[in-house]
Amino acid sequence: MTQPTLSSRLAGFSAGFRLETVPDEVRTRARHLILDALGIAIACTQWDFARVTLAGLRELAGPGGDVPVIGHGESLPLRDAVAMNALLVHGLDYDDTHPAGVIHATTSVLPAALGLATRLGSSGRDLLAAYILGMETTTRLGAAARGGFHQVGFHPTGLIGTFGCTLAAARLLGLDEERTVQAQGIALSFASGSLEFLNDGAWTKRLHPGWAGAAGITAATLAKNGFVGTRAAYEGRFGLYNSHLGALAEKCDLDLVAAGLGTVWETNNVAIKPVPACHFTHACADAASLLHRDWNNAPVQRIVARVPAGVMKTVCEPIENKRRPANAYEAQFSIPYSVATGLRFGRFTLDALEPAAYQDPQTLALAALVECEADPKADFPRYYGGEVIVELADGRTLRHSEPINRGAATRPISNSDIVAKFHDNAARAVDRAQADRILHAVLSLEQGSARDLAQLLGVRARLENKQ
């Protein structure tokens, strides 16, 4: 007897997945994760990159379309709408993260499931089931790499998200176990996502989750119609981990992928972002913010930010770029800028992504003093900790450590906090009445339909087009 492949084990889980087997606590948390993502998407409608992306997708799509674009009062063909809606969820880097998988799972799975469920006329229950299925598989596939994808330059949100979206789409399309195996094999040839954007602030990262969603829908639909894919998409000689990780593949733990499926719910371990920036910056941003009052504008000689070694390439290098972000995206992936902003203002909000903020001379002067050091004691990737040490000209030293970042499983953001965050984000683009309608539709999703939710989300928001 040969060992079943991971594709077959995940296919069995997908084909047999039923929402009624999911504990109420997990379903409630899943609805709040969806709410958080949609609030971010609504806020994101105000930014120029959203306008530019929609213009390009509209040109490619031509007239017509049956899936609403969030906050824009128009529809696009299925895969284009998925790409656009995922960009809106992910565009401000305010969306949730699964720490062990180092992956933003909702940002690909939700738009894919919502788009396809809208096309199919699925119930809210079916949408929620597909979403949870996608979350449970995406997070585990990411965790198996033990942080390796970032080290070799791949963005797991796009790369791994493709497979979670494939499984969610297979569930909505009613694929049997064999066709779901084939779908994952097809997805292997679609999955992508490069971290090169870190070097120049390119917008490409924002496209990764939508590409994953469109690819997942494509793979599942091809499999439904009989297209044949490879059977060892993950552990094969040129499967996902071996082909993308090289020598680091030896450090993978593929047993994590199927461990606890259906009994241990990784959806509950997804971390909500309290800061609109890369999750790797949060602990240092918070530590600096908590030092704000004690600092009180005293002259500074030196600032040290201590972070896990595994995040240095992403948020600390190259250091000169990180000290002087050229755009909002570079600001979101900068420990020096996050520390300077937190120290100076006592918080890091969406306002920190405005050009006036990341070009401010006083903030940049503080950022220029920040040095990054790897912390050998950091418990990464379980936590995205950080410590800030401020050496003042008068000889005093201020320091604060956040070994467990806010939003981690042992320091979670509550559901009521998510509702408050949703309203803060939604208020940037829609009135309170519209926000309340969306809130009710999401939290009562199991009594509604995917199409009704999509149409409600598609109502045109105020558009200001920030840079």
Side-chain angles (χ1 to χ4, degrees), residues 12-70:
F13 179 63
S14 174
F17 190 82
R18 298 292 179 269
L19 187 62
E20 52 267 26
T21 67
V22 181
D24 288 343
E25 175 193 8
V26 178
R27 283 148 60 177
T28 298
R29 188 62 171 181
R31 292 193 299 270
H32 282 82
L33 293 176
I34 291 172
L35 182 70
D36 178 63
L38 296 178
I40 298 162
I42 292 166
C44 199
T45 60
Q46 305 303 293
W47 295 76
D48 189 55
F49 61 78
R51 179 189 62 79
V52 169
T53 305
L54 181 57
L57 291 174
R58 190 189 292 125
E59 181 176 332
L60 287 168
D66 58 348
V67 178
V69 175
I70 296 171

Side-chain angles (χ1 to χ4, degrees), residues 257-302:
V257 177
L261 273 173
T263 57
V264 178
W265 298 94
E266 289 300 322
T267 299
N268 277 345
N269 294 326
V270 172
I272 293 292
K273 279 191 175 184
V275 176
C278 174
H279 229 129
F280 295 164
T281 69
H282 288 197
C284 282
D286 279 352
S289 297
L290 291 168
L291 294 175
H292 165 73
R293 184 172 297 177
D294 290 338
W295 169 55
N296 197 26
N297 288 311
V300 176
Q301 284 190 330
R302 180 173 178 252

Side-chain angles (χ1 to χ4, degrees), residues 79-95:
R79 288 178 291 181
D80 295 318
V82 168
M84 184 65 204
N85 287 335
L87 176 129
L88 292 172
V89 174
H90 192 51
L92 296 175
D93 255 284
Y94 210 179
D95 48 313

Side-chain angles (χ1 to χ4, degrees), residues 98-113:
H98 183 260
V102 199
I103 190 169
H104 305 280
T106 293
T107 193
S108 59
V109 174
L110 175 60

Side-chain angles (χ1 to χ4, degrees), residues 10-219:
L10 293 178
F13 179 63
S14 174
F17 190 82
R18 298 292 179 269
L19 187 62
E20 52 267 26
T21 67
V22 181
D24 288 343
E25 175 193 8
V26 178
R27 283 148 60 177
T28 298
R29 188 62 171 181
R31 292 193 299 270
H32 282 82
L33 293 176
I34 291 172
L35 182 70
D36 178 63
L38 296 178
I40 298 162
I42 292 166
C44 199
T45 60
Q46 305 303 293
W47 295 76
D48 189 55
F49 61 78
R51 179 189 62 79
V52 169
T53 305
L54 181 57
L57 291 174
R58 190 189 292 125
E59 181 176 332
L60 287 168
D66 58 348
V67 178
V69 175
I70 296 171
H72 282 82
E74 62 181 281
S75 296
L76 289 172
L78 173 59
R79 288 178 291 181
D80 295 318
V82 168
M84 184 65 204
N85 287 335
L87 176 129
L88 292 172
V89 174
H90 192 51
L92 296 175
D93 255 284
Y94 210 179
D95 48 313
D96 63 41
T97 307
H98 183 260
V102 199
I103 190 169
H104 305 280
T106 293
T107 193
S108 59
V109 174
L110 175 60
L114 177 60
L116 183 56
T118 299
R119 159 71 66 79
L120 296 173
S122 303
S123 68
R125 286 180 59 82
D126 283 339
L127 169 58
L128 185 62
Y131 169 74
I132 294 173
L133 168 65
M135 294 293 286
E136 291 298 316
T137 51
T138 302
T139 53
R140 285 174 164 82
L141 288 166
R146 295 193 173 279
F149 289 119
H150 280 90
Q151 301 309 308
V152 293
F154 289 108
H155 183 212
T157 294
L159 184 67
I160 300 297
T162 302
F163 297 95
C165 291
T166 298
L167 289 160
R171 168 66 170 72
L172 286 167
L173 290 168
L175 269 59
D176 62 18
E177 191 168 335
E178 174 59 23
R179 296 285 172 99
T180 304
V181 169
Q182 303 294 338
Q184 292 169 86
I186 298 166
L188 177 62
S189 289
F190 294 162
S192 63
S194 165
L195 291 179
E196 183 60 24
F197 70 89
L198 290 169
N199 289 326
D200 55 14
W203 292 2
T204 49
K205 177 176 180 285
R206 296 181 172 113
L207 295 172
H208 295 170
W211 195 259
I217 290 170
T218 303

